[in-house]
């Protein structure tokens, strides 16, 4: 007999312990018969005042990820959705693949990362050649995101690092803060806009700007959960969170 509530799939959702956005975002996207089982990567809420500080903080997340994976696997979940993004971009496409493979080796099941999900989402829309992106990161991490996107076949026209000082500060960035950033990132030279940084709440704003600009605007939490569902053979079209889940 299968799981009574998760009779289609049990999804393990992994995110830093400081993250307050991934869990509610992905619960909104959950179809009937799929259940999300959250596991937190224990991490402090450090003060980041430099590129070096930011890298130390993301390394702490990476180092603690396997423990969170082992924890959620006790529920015998079918698949992992990895709700941390910076470390999944590091080292370009090859570095991203290796990081994912290490997680899957610990879990014994497949996983979707933010980096691969963004690339897959851009390709799903079709015709996207140029992109811009916003992150809550410091410039050193934006350089890694740019490298990954360019190695994935996209030309990056502009990017904006918000340089949030603490992990918990990321969730305090408002739509009003982000609208001028998105206006800066947009342009006739940009086919799509991407948001990375999973504690940055931009699902609804992405929907608003996708309609306003008539081009793909991809929130990373939407992309990662979409990728996880499709990897598990769940093809439900989900309304209200953007074209990606509604159409592809």
């Amino acid at each position: 007999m299968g799981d009574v509530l998760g009779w289609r799939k049990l999804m393990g959702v992994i995110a830093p312990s400081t993250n307050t956005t991934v869990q509610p975002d992905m619960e909104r996207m959950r179809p009937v018969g799929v259940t999300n089982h959250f596991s937190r990567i224990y991490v402090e809420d450090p003060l980041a005042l430099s590129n070096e500080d930011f890298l130390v903080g993301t390394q702490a997340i990476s180092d603690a990820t396997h423990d969170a994976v082992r924890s959620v696997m006790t529920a015998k979940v079918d698949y992992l959705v990895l709700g941390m993004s910076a470390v999944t971009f590091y080292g370009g496409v090859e570095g991203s693949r290796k990081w994912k493979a290490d997680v899957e080796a610990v879990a014994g099941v497949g996983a979707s990362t933010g980096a691969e999900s963004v690339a897959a989402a851009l390709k799903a829309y079709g015709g996207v050649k140029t992109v811009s992106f916003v992150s809550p990161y410091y410039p050193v991490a934006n350089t890694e995101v740019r490298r990954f996107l360019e190695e994935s076949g996209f030309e990056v026209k502009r990017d904006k690092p918000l340089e949030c000082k603490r992990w918990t500060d990321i969730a305090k960035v408002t739509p009003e803060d982000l609208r001028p950033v998105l206006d800066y990132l947009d342009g006739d030279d940009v086919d799509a806009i991407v948001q990375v940084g999973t504690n940055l709440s931009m699902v609804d704003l992405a929907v608003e700007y996708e309609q306003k600009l008539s081009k793909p605007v991809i929130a990373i939490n939407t992309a990662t959960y979409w990728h996880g569902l499709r990897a598990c053979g769940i093809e439900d079209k989900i309304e209200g969170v953007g074209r990606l889940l509604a159409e592809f």
Side-chain angles (χ1 to χ4, degrees):
M1 179 179 292
D3 191 275
V4 171
L5 297 181
W7 48 271
R8 298 170 77 187
K9 289 294 176 182
L10 304 178
M11 307 288 273
V13 179
I14 311 292
S17 55
T18 51
N19 190 304
T20 57
T21 299
V22 166
Q23 188 168 7
D25 271 358
M26 293 188 180
E27 195 62 19
R28 288 176 61 189
M29 304 170 194
R30 181 178 60 81
V32 173
V34 175
T35 51
N36 296 335
H37 306 280
F38 207 79
S39 185
R40 293 188 174 274
I41 302 164
Y42 179 80
V43 64
E44 299 290 344
D45 190 26
L47 182 65
L49 297 175
S50 67
N51 283 320
E52 292 73 20
D53 292 343
F54 188 87
L55 288 177
V56 169
T58 55
Q59 186 61 50
I61 291 173
S62 183
D63 290 345
T65 295
H66 289 183
D67 285 343
V69 169
R70 291 186 189 97
S71 177
V72 80
M73 288 311 303
T74 63
K76 295 182 171 59
V77 298
D78 299 302
Y79 195 81
L80 295 180
V81 179
L82 300 173
M84 83 294 289
S85 61
V87 296
T88 71
F89 289 98
Y90 291 0
V93 169
E94 187 57 35
S96 181
R97 287 174 179 162
K98 183 181 184 305
W99 194 89
K100 172 182 169 171
D102 289 346
V103 168
E104 290 180 332
V106 171
V109 299
S112 290
T113 69
E116 70 171 339
S117 299
V118 164
L122 289 168
K123 291 171 183 175
Y125 277 94
V128 175
K129 296 181 180 179
T130 59
V131 301
S132 60
F133 70 92
V134 58
S135 84
Y137 308 154
Y138 271 71
V140 65
N142 270 34
T143 298
E144 295 292 332
V145 176
R146 177 183 287 267
R147 174 184 172 184
F148 176 88
L149 290 171
E150 290 178 345
E151 288 184 6
S152 298
F154 306 102
E155 181 183 356
V156 178
K157 291 294 187 179
R158 285 177 289 286
D159 68 277
K160 176 65 176 178
L162 298 180
E163 299 187 21
C164 293
K165 299 298 184 284
R166 294 187 184 275
W167 299 142
T168 52
D169 287 344
I170 297 171
K172 299 173 185 176
V173 177
T174 68
E176 289 68 33
D177 296 325
L178 287 167
R179 285 192 177 93
V181 174
L182 295 177
D183 292 339
Y184 159 74
L185 294 175
D186 187 35
D188 293 340
D189 58 341
V190 171
D191 297 327
I193 298 173
V194 173
Q195 169 259 316
V196 301
T198 62
N199 206 24
L200 188 62
S201 181
M202 218 188 88
V203 171
D204 290 331
L205 192 61
V207 174
E208 175 188 323
Y209 266 75
E210 195 164 63
Q211 294 170 347
K212 174 182 175 181
L213 301 177
S214 298
K215 66 178 63 173
V217 180
I218 297 171
I220 195 164
N221 289 344
T222 306
T224 311
Y225 200 72
W226 163 82
H227 190 274
L229 289 177
R230 301 302 183 250
C232 288
I234 306 292
E235 299 292 337
D236 299 44
K237 301 301 188 286
I238 299 165
E239 299 293 334
V241 288
R243 286 184 58 203
L244 189 62
L245 272 165
E247 298 181 19
F248 303 107

